[in-house]
Amino acid sequence: MKKALKIDIISDNVCPWCFIGKRRMEKALKKLSKDCKVNITWKPFQLNSQAPVPGVNKLQKYLKSGKDRFFPIVMEAGKEVKINFSWGGNVGNTFDSHRLIAYARKQGKQDEMVEKIMSFYFEQEEDISVKKVLEKAAEEAGVKYAKKFLESKELSQNISDELLEGRMKGVTSVPCFIINDEHKISGAWEAKDWENALKKLGYL
């Protein structure tokens, strides 16, 4: 039997291509046999570690930086994987959202937590830098005792260490997927490209 498939995903929760890349990867993983075990671990990355809490107007920030020119491409890619991108709401610091994802992993709810946080930000125009928003996301994802956790500093050092680890590994953009600790996939690969990679590794 082929060994379990291990995938470490380095991403930021306000990166649209991370959300798209997640859905594309999941589409490809559905092709695996039912007896193939997949272990996914989400690792943090911050596109802007100095972003404020609470956040600032998302659309204005994108317009100011000129990134709005990518809206049509992102929205079209999103539709293909059933993501309805919306550019309203605020964008802020993602550190606490990464802490919450690490906490959710202890409850076996990491994937659910990532999905909910990204959906909150990209589709529901929520400010995921705000603890009350994260509490609501945790509740919907089935993660227990999130309010108490978020009020603490628990896992802060772990996240700081993992952010440094990512930089030490040379990760400068996200999403970045590391398969079985050695094969790196940079960017939001199409599902068919994921399938080809999995075939070469003997999983399909």
Side-chain angles (χ1 to χ4, degrees):
M1 182 181 292
K2 190 73 176 177
K3 69 177 182 179
L5 177 63
K6 179 185 177 186
I7 306 177
D8 290 339
I9 307 172
I10 303 171
S11 75
D12 199 2
N13 301 313
V14 293
C15 163
W17 290 106
C18 292
F19 198 10
I20 293 167
K22 174 183 183 295
R23 290 282 181 87
R24 288 174 172 176
M25 175 198 70
E26 289 168 344
K27 183 178 179 181
L29 293 181
K30 288 179 180 178
K31 298 288 183 73
L32 295 172
S33 64
K34 292 182 179 180
D35 61 349
C36 180
K37 188 175 181 181
V38 182
N39 297 317
I40 295 175
T41 303
W42 291 85
K43 304 279 188 176
F45 186 92
Q46 286 196 286
L47 294 168
N48 181 8
S49 61
Q50 303 303 311
V53 179
V56 297
N57 186 279
K58 185 197 304 183
L59 181 58
Q60 288 182 6
K61 186 173 177 63
Y62 286 149
L63 290 171
K64 187 176 180 180
S65 66
K67 290 182 180 178
D68 58 299
R69 68 185 186 278
F70 297 116
F71 284 0
I73 298 171
V74 170
M75 292 180 75
E76 185 61 31
K79 285 180 182 179
E80 292 175 1
V81 287
K82 299 181 180 179
I83 300 172
N84 297 310
F85 282 103
S86 179
W87 309 109
N90 292 341
V91 56
N93 201 290
T94 57
F95 191 88
D96 277 336
S97 69
H98 287 303
R99 276 206 308 131
L100 183 57
I101 288 167
Y103 175 69
R105 183 167 185 254
K106 294 184 175 184
Q107 299 181 26
K109 295 281 187 178
Q110 195 175 39
D111 284 341
E112 292 90 339
M113 194 71 261
V114 172
E115 177 70 26
K116 189 61 65 173
I117 286 173
M118 288 187 173
S119 177
F120 263 38
Y121 176 72
F122 287 112
E123 299 181 298
Q124 301 177 47
E125 302 185 352
E126 296 277 12
D127 183 353
I128 60 170
S129 72
V130 176
K131 286 184 172 62
K132 284 193 176 298
V133 171
L134 292 174
E135 289 170 20
K136 181 182 176 184
E139 182 181 356
E140 292 189 13
V143 175
K144 299 178 180 178
Y145 313 118
K147 185 177 188 297
K148 182 178 179 181
F149 167 77
L150 288 166
E151 289 172 348
S152 73
K153 295 295 183 183
E154 187 180 344
L155 297 181
S156 291
Q157 189 58 53
N158 299 63
I159 296 302
S160 295
D161 291 345
E162 288 187 347
L163 287 167
L164 177 59
E165 181 185 349
R167 293 194 295 271
M168 294 289 286
K169 287 181 178 179
V171 177
T172 57
S173 62
V174 286
C176 179
F177 304 83
I178 302 174
I179 303 175
N180 293 340
D181 295 318
E182 56 180 327
H183 306 285
K184 184 186 289 187
I185 292 176
S186 296
W189 277 22
E190 295 278 0
K192 62 181 180 181
D193 295 320
W194 266 99
E195 289 173 25
N196 288 335
L198 292 171
K199 284 177 184 177
K200 288 181 180 178
L201 293 173
Y203 287 96
L204 282 178

